[in-house]
Amino acid sequence: LDDDPTGTQTVHNVPVLTEWTPGALAAAWEEAETTIYILTNSRRYPQEEAETNNRQIARNVAQVARSQCVEPVVGSRSDSTLRGHYPGEVTALRQTLEGELGLRYDGLVIAPFFLEGGRYTVDDVHWVLSGERMVPGAQSVFARDTTFGYDHSRLQEWVAEKTLGQVPAAAVMSIGLRTIREGGPDAVTYLLLQARDRQVIIVNAASYRDMEVFVWGLMQAERQGQRYLFRTAASFVKVRGGIPDRGLLTADELW
């Protein structure tokens, strides 16, 4: 579920829906190989309206999933500079999907890494490329957004800030670069299997390779019965959907 029209910039050959009726979702389900984008554009709407739309989409997705006898992997694609209706949209999705599909999520994954935009998460601090300098997110111009502003760059503290303390910083799990780069997918899986009761999980990444290792560990945990809901930037979706790189369109292809 994409809260802004720019979210499809890292993918290709995927259905992109601007409506979310059960019929439209079912048709896209038949067409898609791995991934469907639902363009909610919710960042432009007040929070209450954004949450209402997320609930309706979740109900319709659940209806189609039941008809197909499958369980969907659902992600809330948001801004790589941490702007957006968090945690409202994720909460609306979680409550509706759990109620409609009779499941319970073990973890809520936050992965704002976006290589193409110069946004990296290192030592749990989210960094933003500003001109020729990397600055912590809370020191960027984006953090002064009048609607979605924030004061913390360390993501555990950002989660506590955005949830008004309902999720304390100390309760947030971190998947660090050392785990990813030295332990590999098995170490990621081990940590993810510890998540219970919708624990918030921060993903560090500074390259697509980092994200690929995390996703492979994630999929192993999913195969063992764990369930996760996602709040991420665009790079995660590309990797989780197994969408390969491709060059820019040529003039002949456009024609």
Side-chain angles (χ1 to χ4, degrees), residues 226-241:
Q226 293 285 99
R227 294 186 176 95
Y228 307 93
L229 194 62
F230 303 94
R231 179 74 167 185
T232 77
S235 294
F236 169 84
V237 184
K238 174 184 175 182
V239 177
R240 182 63 180 81

Side-chain angles (χ1 to χ4, degrees), residues 138-195:
Q139 297 177 25
S140 71
V141 64
F142 304 105
R144 298 194 292 274
D145 189 297
T146 55
T147 303
F148 301 119
Y150 54 94
D151 296 324
H152 294 90
S153 303
R154 189 169 298 278
L155 290 181
Q156 291 94 330
E157 296 167 358
W158 177 82
V159 168
E161 175 186 353
K162 287 298 179 178
T163 62
L164 304 179
Q166 294 181 20
V167 179
V172 177
M173 179 188 292
S174 169
I175 308 292
L177 287 182
R178 186 166 186 173
T179 296
I180 290 170
R181 295 182 176 185
E182 296 183 10
D186 288 344
V188 171
T189 302
Y190 175 80
L191 285 180
L192 288 175
L193 290 175
Q194 314 309 310

Side-chain angles (χ1 to χ4, degrees), residues 30-254:
E30 293 297 329
E31 176 188 350
E33 292 185 10
T34 64
T35 308
I36 300 167
Y37 260 89
I38 303 172
L39 182 56
T40 70
N41 208 22
S42 60
R43 211 182 304 166
R44 64 169 290 187
Y45 296 114
Q47 178 161 326
E48 184 177 351
E49 187 171 352
E51 291 176 6
T52 297
N53 285 341
N54 273 256
R55 290 190 186 95
Q56 183 61 61
I57 293 168
R59 281 193 290 269
N60 292 352
V61 166
Q63 178 181 327
V64 174
R66 287 194 299 267
S67 72
Q68 300 280 346
C69 297
V70 296
E71 185 177 307
V73 175
V74 178
S76 178
R77 204 295 299 186
S78 188
D79 181 42
S80 59
T81 65
L82 305 178
R83 296 171 300 165
H85 293 295
Y86 176 83
E89 288 188 301
V90 177
T91 300
L93 279 174
R94 177 188 61 73
Q95 291 175 341
T96 307
L97 290 167
E98 287 185 339
E100 293 285 332
L101 296 175
L103 53 82
R104 184 180 179 89
Y105 287 102
D106 298 291
L108 306 176
V109 173
I110 296 178
F113 164 73
F114 178 43
L115 179 71
E116 292 80 358
R119 285 79 190 251
Y120 308 93
T121 307
V122 179
D123 292 334
D124 299 328
V125 173
H126 194 55
W127 296 82
V128 174
L129 183 64
S130 179
E132 296 182 354
R133 296 176 58 244
M134 298 298 298
V135 299
Q139 297 177 25
S140 71
V141 64
F142 304 105
R144 298 194 292 274
D145 189 297
T146 55
T147 303
F148 301 119
Y150 54 94
D151 296 324
H152 294 90
S153 303
R154 189 169 298 278
L155 290 181
Q156 291 94 330
E157 296 167 358
W158 177 82
V159 168
E161 175 186 353
K162 287 298 179 178
T163 62
L164 304 179
Q166 294 181 20
V167 179
V172 177
M173 179 188 292
S174 169
I175 308 292
L177 287 182
R178 186 166 186 173
T179 296
I180 290 170
R181 295 182 176 185
E182 296 183 10
D186 288 344
V188 171
T189 302
Y190 175 80
L191 285 180
L192 288 175
L193 290 175
Q194 314 309 310
R196 293 289 184 277
D197 298 325
R198 310 158 183 142
Q199 184 174 13
V200 176
I201 303 164
I202 300 301
V203 181
N204 287 263
S207 70
Y208 264 114
R209 182 63 172 171
D210 295 332
M211 187 57 66
E212 289 164 359
V213 171
F214 168 75
V215 167
W216 184 240
L218 165 73
M219 294 176 73
Q220 291 186 70
E222 289 174 329
R223 289 191 184 98
Q224 295 185 48
Q226 293 285 99
R227 294 186 176 95
Y228 307 93
L229 194 62
F230 303 94
R231 179 74 167 185
T232 77
S235 294
F236 169 84
V237 184
K238 174 184 175 182
V239 177
R240 182 63 180 81
I243 300 168
D245 290 333
R246 62 149 295 153
L248 298 175
L249 291 172
T250 65
D252 287 343
E253 287 173 317
L254 285 169

